[in-house]
Amino acid sequence: FPLLLQMTARLMLAVGGAVLGSLQFGYNTGVINAPQKVIEDFYNRTWLYRYEEPISPATLTTLWSLSVAIFSVGGMIGSFSVGLFVNRFGRRNSMLVSNVLAFVSAVLMGFSKMAFSFEMLILGRFIIGLYSGLTTGFVPMYVGEVSPTALRGALGTFHQLGIVLGILIAQVFGLDLIMGNDSLWPLLLGFIFVPALLQCVILPFAPESPRFLLINRNEENKAKSVLKKLRGTTDVSSDLQEMKEESRQMMREKKVTIMELFRSPMYRQPILIAIVLQLSQQLSGINAVFYYSTSIFEKAGVEQPVYATIGSGVVNTAFTVVSLFVVERAGRRTLHLIGLAGMAGCAVLMTIALTLLDQMPWMSYLSIVAIFGFVAFFEIGPGPIPWFIVAELFSQGPRPAAFAVAGLSNWTSNFIVGMGFQYIAQLCGSYVFIIFTVLLVLFFIFTYFKVPETKGRTFDEIASGFRQGGASQSDKTPDEFHSLGADSQV
């Protein structure tokens, strides 16, 4: 593993500190699933206390959906504001400053029960949504910019690993025995102050992104000393050379606004790819599985659905680690295709299992296998890859704008699935996964024909590939198969 030699302590500290932000995002995505009943009780009691009548089921459903989905609304706004921060404060300081939001949110949600106020809880969810939206821009951007080219994919996967670990922690903490009960749920929601505090302690020791220092601030000496620490060698000339080349390109291409991304023919292809890949992550149905996993398992007749849900969290984490080791070998494009195809297969299985459940009770086991498979294939491709491929498809000039657009499309589709899935599931019953199957097949076709391989190429090479009118497919297929063949002996 010559790659592991490039992992210096400073690089680990930088990535580790940043990924705490991803952990927050995952935690807040998953935390709301388990204590649903307890929090609905709290809403009911608060309503009684105020208006001296019980809450109507319709109002309760609305309040609950709002508590879940307002997180995504915050995320949309947050992800869209990424550019305002990163170029002004720098990547690292942006991550530090945004922790203010996490602390405010922790206080609001943690004390909502004492204050008899569900507004505080919903506002807290919105604010941590803002924070998470910013995070989905800051973390992949920072990690992509501090990593050496050979480790960019592996370290880029850490963002996704942070997210799934966060989801898993939230699922475990949300058990009745731990914090998912009537007395402790405010602590469960307010727990986010712990990672925020940790990040405030770690990040001051992490370096600023050398790309930002050199290209945006023009501070070459600072960039050089940061690079030496990050790479653990005194000779960082090749890294600096690559950045200067990118900087020269950037002098030619001025800072790009979001509108220009769509207008300029040079960026149209990569921004389309970035958007469709984000959609392929959210519209694959993975959030439907996460938000409603407990009820899906109940419907499938599983005795202890909570533990099955945690099981899928464990599978999730395990396969993200697998992806981490494979992504620099098999290539991004290949993995994304494998993931999409596998998920489509599992979605079909899922549909069969749910349809035949009444005739054959043992089908409930097939549905668990299908869900676990679905989650595993997700973490091989559509989970980690869309996040860091955005950093790879764009050079330094348009990158913040591209992250804003990609983040917005991710959060918007997240919101649509979060709000719409319950209604669609009621309409379609067990056929709901067919919709996702069709989408997955479409995303597969798009990826096959449109997405170039970015493994092992510098940011500049990738960008110039698009300048020549998109990388032609023919020139990379043999190489891709060759690299797969070579790795199968490993």
Side-chain angles (χ1 to χ4, degrees), residues 78-100:
S79 64
F80 215 64
S81 326
V82 167
L84 300 174
F85 288 88
V86 284
N87 292 337
R88 196 159 303 150
F89 303 118
R91 278 64 165 144
R92 184 200 66 175
N93 294 347
S94 298
M95 290 191 287
L96 266 174
V97 170
S98 63
N99 277 310
V100 173

Side-chain angles (χ1 to χ4, degrees), residues 190-204:
F191 182 78
I192 50 177
F193 81 91
V194 177
L197 201 63
L198 260 175
Q199 197 176 34
C200 289
V201 174
I202 294 174
L203 276 184

Side-chain angles (χ1 to χ4, degrees), residues 15-70:
V15 174
V19 165
L20 280 166
S22 323
L23 189 94
Q24 289 274 41
F25 169 36
Y27 185 85
N28 288 291
T29 303
V31 76
I32 205 79
N33 192 350
Q36 178 172 356
K37 304 259 191 310
V38 221
I39 294 177
E40 283 180 341
D41 276 352
F42 160 70
Y43 287 179
N44 193 10
R45 282 204 306 272
T46 307
W47 200 268
L48 256 174
Y49 174 76
R50 282 192 204 167
Y51 307 110
E52 301 185 342
E53 58 176 23
I55 195 167
S56 72
T59 317
L60 187 59
T61 306
T62 309
L63 273 182
W64 177 253
S65 299
L66 191 64
S67 319
V68 175
I70 195 122

Side-chain angles (χ1 to χ4, degrees), residues 427-441:
L427 276 176
C428 313
S430 54
Y431 298 107
V432 68
F433 277 93
I434 290 181
I435 302 174
F436 293 125
T437 313
V438 173
L439 287 167
L440 285 162
V441 172

Side-chain angles (χ1 to χ4, degrees), residues 458-478:
T458 66
F459 286 145
D460 201 46
E461 287 164 11
I462 296 165
S464 64
F466 284 116
R467 275 186 224 118
Q468 293 147 16
S472 67
Q473 292 295 314
S474 57
D475 66 10
K476 61 162 192 284
T477 319

Side-chain angles (χ1 to χ4, degrees), residues 2-12 14-15 142-152 155 207-212 223-243 246 459:
L3 288 183
L4 289 181
L5 298 178
Q6 295 185 23
M7 271 310 281
T8 58
R10 216 41 190 285
L11 183 57
M12 283 161 89
V15 174
Y142 177 73
V143 171
E145 291 183 12
V146 295
S147 309
T149 302
L151 281 173
R152 217 170 47 219
L155 292 176
E208 182 48 87
S209 151
R211 266 196 161 69
F212 169 78
K224 203 169 178 174
S225 71
V226 162
L227 268 174
K228 284 178 182 170
K229 286 176 191 155
L230 280 172
R231 302 285 180 265
T233 59
T234 42
D235 175 32
V236 288
S237 50
S238 64
D239 272 304
L240 271 176
Q241 212 40 54
E242 187 203 323
M243 285 180 205
E246 204 178 317
F459 286 145

Side-chain angles (χ1 to χ4, degrees), residues 181-434:
N181 50 43
D182 200 33
S183 48
L184 288 180
W185 66 261
L187 188 61
L188 178 72
L189 297 182
F191 182 78
I192 50 177
F193 81 91
V194 177
L197 201 63
L198 260 175
Q199 197 176 34
C200 289
V201 174
I202 294 174
L203 276 184
F205 297 103
E208 182 48 87
S209 151
R211 266 196 161 69
F212 169 78
L213 291 171
L214 181 77
I215 300 177
N216 300 63
R217 287 273 166 87
N218 219 349
E219 300 181 354
E220 188 176 329
N221 290 337
K222 256 190 182 170
K224 203 169 178 174
S225 71
V226 162
L227 268 174
K228 284 178 182 170
K229 286 176 191 155
L230 280 172
R231 302 285 180 265
T233 59
T234 42
D235 175 32
V236 288
S237 50
S238 64
D239 272 304
L240 271 176
Q241 212 40 54
E242 187 203 323
M243 285 180 205
K244 281 184 181 155
E245 186 47 47
E246 204 178 317
S247 184
R248 254 175 264 150
Q249 290 285 359
M250 213 179 127
M251 298 302 174
R252 276 178 250 150
E253 53 172 33
K254 55 189 193 318
K255 201 172 151 285
V256 183
T257 64
I258 287 170
M259 285 318 295
E260 285 166 72
L261 277 181
F262 292 97
R263 284 206 203 106
S264 145
M266 191 166 102
Y267 300 129
R268 207 170 289 145
Q269 175 98 2
I271 196 69
L272 177 71
I273 292 174
I275 291 173
V276 174
L277 285 182
Q278 298 292 343
L279 296 182
S280 77
Q281 183 187 72
Q282 292 295 334
L283 301 179
S284 61
I286 192 72
N287 273 1
V289 169
F290 277 137
Y291 285 140
Y292 302 106
S293 51
T294 312
S295 59
I296 292 176
F297 282 128
E298 262 170 25
K299 192 178 266 141
V302 181
E303 299 283 304
Q304 285 285 348
V306 183
Y307 293 105
T309 303
I310 289 177
S312 63
V314 173
V315 172
N316 205 358
T317 312
F319 275 87
T320 309
V321 176
V322 172
S323 173
L324 216 147
F325 285 107
V326 182
V327 72
E328 289 301 351
R329 295 186 161 177
R332 286 58 155 148
R333 181 173 176 269
T334 323
L335 284 180
H336 198 71
L337 288 169
I338 293 171
L340 289 170
M343 286 174 84
C346 291
V348 172
L349 273 183
M350 191 70 200
T351 311
I352 296 170
L354 288 175
T355 315
L356 298 179
L357 192 61
D358 298 335
Q359 288 89 5
M360 307 173 205
W362 57 268
M363 281 288 174
S364 70
Y365 296 107
L366 183 63
S367 72
I368 295 186
V369 172
I371 280 195
F372 283 2
F374 194 77
V375 168
F377 279 113
F378 175 76
E379 291 308 347
I380 285 172
I385 286 165
W387 288 124
F388 66 83
I389 209 162
V390 181
E392 298 187 321
L393 293 174
F394 293 93
S395 49
Q396 197 80 6
R399 196 176 295 136
F403 262 108
V405 172
L408 185 74
S409 37
N410 190 297
W411 282 95
T412 309
S413 41
N414 184 332
F415 177 70
I416 293 166
V417 174
M419 283 306 271
F421 181 76
Q422 261 179 316
Y423 300 107
I424 297 172
Q426 282 161 6
L427 276 176
C428 313
S430 54
Y431 298 107
V432 68
F433 277 93
I434 290 181

